[in-house]
């Protein structure tokens, strides 16, 4: 079948060459027949053979219609966005005005996804045939994928305007304005700006945003010019607040502008015409004097003008008050606890803050508490608007809580209320966020789209990977928000942030890799957005100097997952790379793929590598212990479970020490909790002790008992369970030594005892009070469920309390031994013993207590397994014993009193 099909294609190509068919002989029917051939090619999976045949044919006959068509469609079907041959074909028929065939070919391309060339050509075809409705429909599709197209957007706006669909026309004019700004075409910008003044003058947020972009991309002078054109609308309707805002923006660009200064004085006079002190405050501020800095003059005037009879004020000591009268330079204010208080105007301006009548503090003063609480609980949108505006229209959840709890809501009421409030802040279009602080909410004069809100979060995000996350969120709700499509200016700006980084980068670091991954993710969904960059992963991968370092720095699980998928698809030794990268991506993705593809040797290599260096790969080893020990591939390793437990117990001790030494505290606490849960909460130690032999029980229990910072009750409980299961069980060192240790106690040096006493005193007098202060401060930050500082402080409190209890218990049990108490006739506490080994070497140990133990320097605890074996030995004794599967053979050659 396939050979016959190849022969058929070859015959078609040769027939075309021999007959020299002219363009005029071609119809749509010819291409429909070729599509039938293509269907058979796809079904028989001989695309590559046909491509080779057509490519060879095009070398000799570059304008072969059949070869161009077959090759072009096969390339497009492979989703590699190679439309070259079909574009060539369309241009051939366009030049010959064969519009029916042009339309057919364009639509054939569009079957594989939106395409700028195909849409533009199809629109031109419809225009040539005077099919205007179809042309406009195609234009609608074209502007969604061609960010640079502005004129067509404007034509669509004018079409809606002609049809009196004004709301839709406004949206198109807005889009056209943004695109003209990107092109820096001021004449077009101005024409569209005037259209928007005509149809949507009240959308000041949009005008302000556009004006700020024009100032950056065109010039500040042009922004001033456009604001001057916007101003008359609001002056004519006597909207003095907006008029003043526009004039302030003009003066920010041009503080010497005499027209704007004159106008703002007139607007202030109109706005405050009923104010009793208007003329006096204009005079005091020198607002109409050109020699005075205009911004200082405006600030002075607005401070003074806020003081008028009936206005509310706030004093940091006396709270909320109301101005009763103003006479000359004297102001009389009624505060709740200070009636008829007199102040000079100068003093009032510096000491009082003016509060609007709807300020939350005013409402708390004039409304009954039950009424205000009921209103806040019932109308959350109103409560949020009131609270945010009362905070100078910028507040995060911490500030909102501080205003409401406990003055209005209780802590329990806040918990449920805040959950609803967070959802409203995220979805309600009247709430936006600051462009430089994404966690600070504002109340908008005009509704904000989800797209714009997300864009503002993107701009304010400090972290590169936070920007990645925000773009992915944007893509998730593209379908639900009409202003959040790929054609929106917000999406364009975010997407171009990453494409610009790819264009400008020299070295391949984690940011370049992440940009490549996210851009490819966008292009995979929307091929028409291809930025014409080389996005090939293998090319990028070959330029990475340190794969592990770059991979570890990818601060996104989704990006890491995509990275390892791409490695498997493009790198020959992907299993080896999976082994290398696993410690930096603790996930079933890597383990599962190695297991699924039968890479048993690589799994062994992965586990062995981490097990042998478990101190360095702590988190990875703990993850493996918790997640794979029941897997079939793991059982084939024949690793004794006791070894896993011993390593975990050792890591428990190491993490305790690092926490005490303030080393990577957060990470070590996390690992410590995981190990603790695995060993004790999940019952793995207890389960092992229940089935192990006497040697295994002794080895594991001894290690557990040597973890100094472990809760003593756990040790006691384990020991009791062992004794219950094995009556008469002999633990290492028990039952052989005389009264070296008093019952329940242990021996220490006087120096160690003093140090431990000082440490306990420091803990009680310094660390505990400091922790209490941290908890108090954290409580003031708001919602405890999302309060990381509070959780950390409470965790620290638990650790301090446990440490204090343990230290006190140990001090109570400690017995101080002084040098004069030591008998060097046998190995005991406070002696230095020299041991000869079978290899004719010598080893020296000093036996002291657990507090003084320092094995690296030859000081061991008399309670340790080795110390217990050495106790009571005398010079000349031959010793032979086993500890943790290691055999020891010594001869005692010397015993001396140690220095301590």
């Amino acid at each position: 079948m396939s050979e016959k099909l190849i022969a058929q294609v070859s015959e078609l190509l040769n027939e075309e060459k021999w007959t020299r068919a002219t363009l005029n002989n071609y119809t749509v029917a010819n291409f429909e027949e070729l599509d039938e051939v293509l269907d058979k090619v796809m079904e028989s999976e001989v695309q590559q053979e046909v491509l080779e045949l057509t490519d060879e044919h095009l070398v000799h006959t570059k304008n072969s219609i059949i070869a161009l068509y077959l090759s072009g469609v096969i390339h497009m079907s492979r989703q590699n966005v190679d439309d070259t041959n079909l574009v060539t074909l369309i241009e051939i028929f366009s030049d010959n005005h064969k519009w029916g065939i042009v339309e057919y070919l364009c639509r054939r391309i569009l079957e594989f996804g939106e395409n700028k060339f195909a849409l533009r050509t199809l629109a031109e075809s419809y225009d040539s045939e005077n099919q205007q409705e179809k042309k406009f429909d195609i234009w609608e599709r074209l502007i969604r994928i061609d960010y640079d197209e502005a004129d067509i957007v404007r034509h669509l706006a004018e079409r809606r305007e002609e049809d009196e669909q004004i709301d839709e026309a406004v949206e198109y004019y807005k889009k056209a304005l943004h695109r003209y700004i990107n092109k820096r075409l001021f004449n077009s910008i101005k024409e569209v700006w005037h259209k928007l003044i005509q149809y949507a003058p009240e959308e000041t947020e949009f005008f302000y945003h556009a004006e700020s972009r024009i100032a950056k991309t065109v010039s500040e002078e042009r922004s001033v010019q456009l604001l001057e054109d916007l101003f008359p609308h609001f002056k004519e309707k006597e909207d003095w607040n907006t008029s003043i805002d526009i004039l302030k923006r003009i003066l920010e660009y041009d503080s010497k502008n005499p027209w704007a200064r004159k106008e703002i004085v007139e607007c202030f006079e109109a706005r405050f015409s009923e104010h009793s002190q208007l003329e006096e405050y204009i005079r005091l501020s020198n607002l109409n004097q050109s020699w005075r800095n205009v911004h200082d003059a405006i600030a002075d005037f607005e401070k003074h003008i806020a003081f008028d009879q009936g206005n509310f004020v706030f004093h940091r000591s006396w709270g909320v008050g109301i101005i009763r009268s103003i006479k000359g330079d004297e102001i009389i204010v009624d505060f709740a606890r200070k009636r008829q208080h007199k102040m000079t105007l100068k003093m009032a301006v510096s000491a009082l803050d003016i509060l609007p009548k709807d300020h939350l503090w005013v409402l708390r003063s004039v409304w009954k508490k039950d009424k205000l609480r009921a209103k806040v609980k019932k109308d959350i949108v109103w409560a949020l608007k009131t609270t945010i505006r009362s905070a100078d229209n910028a507040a995060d959840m911490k500030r909102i809580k501080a205003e409401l709890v406990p003055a209005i809501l209780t802590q329990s009421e806040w918990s449920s209320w805040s959950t609803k409030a967070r959802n409203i802040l995220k979805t309600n279009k009247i709430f936006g966020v600051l462009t430089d602080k994404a966690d600070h909410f504002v109340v908008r004069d005009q509704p904000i789209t989800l797209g714009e809100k997300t864009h503002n979060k993107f701009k304010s995000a400090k972290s590169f990977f936070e920007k990645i996350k925000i773009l992915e969120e944007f893509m998730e709700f593209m379908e639900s928000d009409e202003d959040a499509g790929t054609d929106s200016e917000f999406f364009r700006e975010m997407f171009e942030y990453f494409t610009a980084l790819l264009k400008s980068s020299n070295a391949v670091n984690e940011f370049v890799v992440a940009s490549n991954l996210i851009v490819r993710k966008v292009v995979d969904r929307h091929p028409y957005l291809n930025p014409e960059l080389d996005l090939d992963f293998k090319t990028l991968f070959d330029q990475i100097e340190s794969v592990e370092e770059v991979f570890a720095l990818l601060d996104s699980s989704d990006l890491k997952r995509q990275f390892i998928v791409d490695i498997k698809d493009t790198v020959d030794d992907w299993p080896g790379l999976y082994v290398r990268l696993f410690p930096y991506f603790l996930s079933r993705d890597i383990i599962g793929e190695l297991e699924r593809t039968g890479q048993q040797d690589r799994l062994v290599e992965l586990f062995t590598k981490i097990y042998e260096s478990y101190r360095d790969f702590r988190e990875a080893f703990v993850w493996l212990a918790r997640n794979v020990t029941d897997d079939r591939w793991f059982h084939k390793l024949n690793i004794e479970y006791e070894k896993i437990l011993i390593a975990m117990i050792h890591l428990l001790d190491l993490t305790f020490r690092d926490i005490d030494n303030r080393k990577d505290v957060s990470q070590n606490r996390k690992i410590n909790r995981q190990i603790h849960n695995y060993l004790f909460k999940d019952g793995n130690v207890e389960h092992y002790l229940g089935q192990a032999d006497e040697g295994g029980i002794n080895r594991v229990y001894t290690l557990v008992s040597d973890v100094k910072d472990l809760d003593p009750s756990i040790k006691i409980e384990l020991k009791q369970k062992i004794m219950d299961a094995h009556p008469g069980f002999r633990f290492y060192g028990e039952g052989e030594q005389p009264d070296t240790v008093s019952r329940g106690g242990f021996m220490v040096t006087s120096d160690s005892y003093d140090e431990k006493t000082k440490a306990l005193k420091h803990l009680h007098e310094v660390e505990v009070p400091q922790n209490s202060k941290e908890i108090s401060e954290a409580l003031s930050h708001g919602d405890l469920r999302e309060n990381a500082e509070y959780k950390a402080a409470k965790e620290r409190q638990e650790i301090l309390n446990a440490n204090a209890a343990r230290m006190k218990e140990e001090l109570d049990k400690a017995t101080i031994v002084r040098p004069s108490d030591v008998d060097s006739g046998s190995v005991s506490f406070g002696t230095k013993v020299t041991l000869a080994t079978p290899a004719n070497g010598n080893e020296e140990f000093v036996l002291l207590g657990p507090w003084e133990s320092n094995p690296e320097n030859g000081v061991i605890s008399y309670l340790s397994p080795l110390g217990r074996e050495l106790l009571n030995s005398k010079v000349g004794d031959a010793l032979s014993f086993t500890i943790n599967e290691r055999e020891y053979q010594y001869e005692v050659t010397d015993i001396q009193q140690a220095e301590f």
Side-chain angles (χ1 to χ4, degrees), residues 193-194 197 201 204 207-208 223-248 250 259-268:
W193 181 276
H194 282 189
I197 291 176
T204 53
F207 283 111
Y208 293 161
S223 289
V224 168
Q225 184 179 339
L226 295 174
L227 288 171
E228 288 175 349
D229 293 342
L230 179 63
F231 171 76
H233 168 82
F234 294 99
K235 184 177 181 181
E236 287 172 12
K237 65 177 292 192
E238 299 184 353
D239 182 347
W240 304 120
N241 287 333
T242 305
S243 297
I244 290 167
D245 284 343
I246 293 171
L247 292 166
K248 284 181 179 179
I250 292 173
W259 172 83
R261 185 156 191 159
K262 174 177 173 294
E263 288 289 345
I264 204 167
V265 172
E266 293 178 4
C267 289
F268 276 135

Side-chain angles (χ1 to χ4, degrees), residues 307 313 315 318 321-335 337-352:
F307 288 91
V313 296
H315 187 277
W318 306 322
I322 186 170
I323 299 174
R324 289 303 183 192
S325 66
I326 301 178
K327 295 179 181 178
D329 191 43
E330 183 181 81
I331 294 181
I332 299 178
V333 183
D334 272 349
F335 295 101
R337 291 172 294 173
K338 200 173 184 70
R339 300 287 180 176
Q340 295 292 304
H341 181 69
K342 296 179 181 179
M343 306 177 74
T344 64
L345 177 61
K346 184 177 181 181
M347 176 64 73
V349 169
S350 64
L352 302 178

